[in-house]
Amino acid sequence: MNALIIYWSATGNTKQVAETIHNALKSGGVNSVLKPVKEAETEELYEYDLVFIGAPSYMWQPPEPVQEYIKEKMNYHRERGDIKLCTPKLPGKKGVVFVTYSGPHTGISEAIPVGKYLGQFLEHLGFDVAGEWYAVGEFHGSEENSTKGRLGDIRGRPNQQDLDNITRDVNELLKTVTG
Ligand SMILES: Cc1cc2nc3c(=O)[nH]c(=O)nc-3n(C[C@H](O)[C@H](O)[C@H](O)COP(=O)(O)O)c2cc1C
């Protein structure tokens, strides 16, 4: 089984989650490739059994470079006829999305639209979206947003517990895909 993890990260939170996924997949015997979005443009997603895509929440959306990547990939796959009406699921192809967020105003509601956006991309390509994973991340550069928001003091997050939760989610996923 092989896996591709694509992520974008400005201050390292999403990168930490991506690396945790990568390490857990490798420990589970999966051949895993980890790439930031800007290096993933030429990757053929259909060559992988498992595709992960992750981003932080920026005003409840994926950041611009992630949206650009998705638009370009959608155009590419549309031209090839891969985007089919009613979106039949491709056998054996699974996707997972992961999002980091600080939730200063409304908590996880600020991250869920990002998870849905990323998930729709994979689903439109025919991947079965097997997970939407959310991790709290410190709002680097803004002490106020990291201490006084809806989620309280989130400095140092994702912390070890957050990353252990991700490892647990990877292990659970591998149980379902490898039987
Ligand atoms: C420009 C900017 C906008 C952000 N907007 C939101 C937001 O609307 N909601 C939220 O929960 N977090 C927001 N955040 C916080 C990030 O989503 C959070 O810190 C994330 O973990 C950063 O990931 P990274 O370290 O991988 O870049 C924002 C951060 C920045 C820098």
Side-chain angles (χ1 to χ4, degrees):
M1 176 163 299
N2 62 11
L4 175 66
I5 307 162
I6 302 166
Y7 70 95
W8 187 92
S9 180
T11 62
N13 297 341
T14 315
K15 185 175 187 210
Q16 280 190 68
V17 173
E19 286 171 347
T20 301
I21 294 169
H22 184 52
N23 290 335
L25 288 171
K26 285 193 296 182
S27 299
V30 176
N31 189 2
S32 175
V33 175
L34 174 68
K35 291 210 167 166
V37 158
K38 65 178 185 306
E39 292 171 25
E41 278 149 20
T42 57
E43 286 287 344
E44 278 293 345
L45 304 188
Y46 291 135
E47 286 177 6
Y48 295 89
D49 307 302
L50 281 171
V51 173
F52 295 75
I53 182 162
S57 169
Y58 272 25
M59 275 192 67
W60 341 298
Q61 294 178 51
E64 200 58 42
V66 179
Q67 295 195 28
E68 281 305 314
Y69 168 83
I70 288 175
K71 279 176 200 152
E72 277 169 29
K73 278 284 171 196
M74 282 297 289
N75 286 339
Y76 170 75
H77 285 289
R78 203 177 282 114
E79 274 167 27
R80 287 170 33 134
D82 297 330
I83 312 293
K84 302 209 164 57
L85 283 177
C86 306
T87 312
K89 278 186 185 151
L90 296 172
K93 299 287 180 194
K94 292 211 184 281
V96 171
V97 303
F98 56 102
V99 180
T100 70
Y101 69 105
S102 301
H105 299 99
T106 62
I108 197 168
S109 298
E110 301 187 51
I112 289 171
V114 183
K116 297 295 176 198
Y117 189 113
L118 300 177
Q120 279 306 293
F121 168 52
L122 295 180
E123 205 176 330
H124 274 70
L125 295 183
F127 285 82
D128 177 27
V129 179
E132 255 177 47
W133 299 346
Y134 296 93
V136 174
E138 177 175 345
F139 201 130
H140 294 283
S142 173
E143 192 172 329
E144 195 177 24
N145 280 319
S146 297
T147 56
K148 296 193 167 66
R150 172 76 63 100
L151 304 178
D153 188 345
I154 58 166
R155 288 173 295 182
R157 299 192 61 188
N159 56 24
Q160 194 55 49
Q161 180 64 57
D162 297 319
L163 298 176
D164 288 348
N165 289 343
I166 296 291
T167 300
R168 180 205 58 206
D169 289 343
V170 172
N171 292 338
E172 288 297 314
L173 175 75
L174 290 182
K175 273 190 224 157
T176 66
V177 294
T178 57

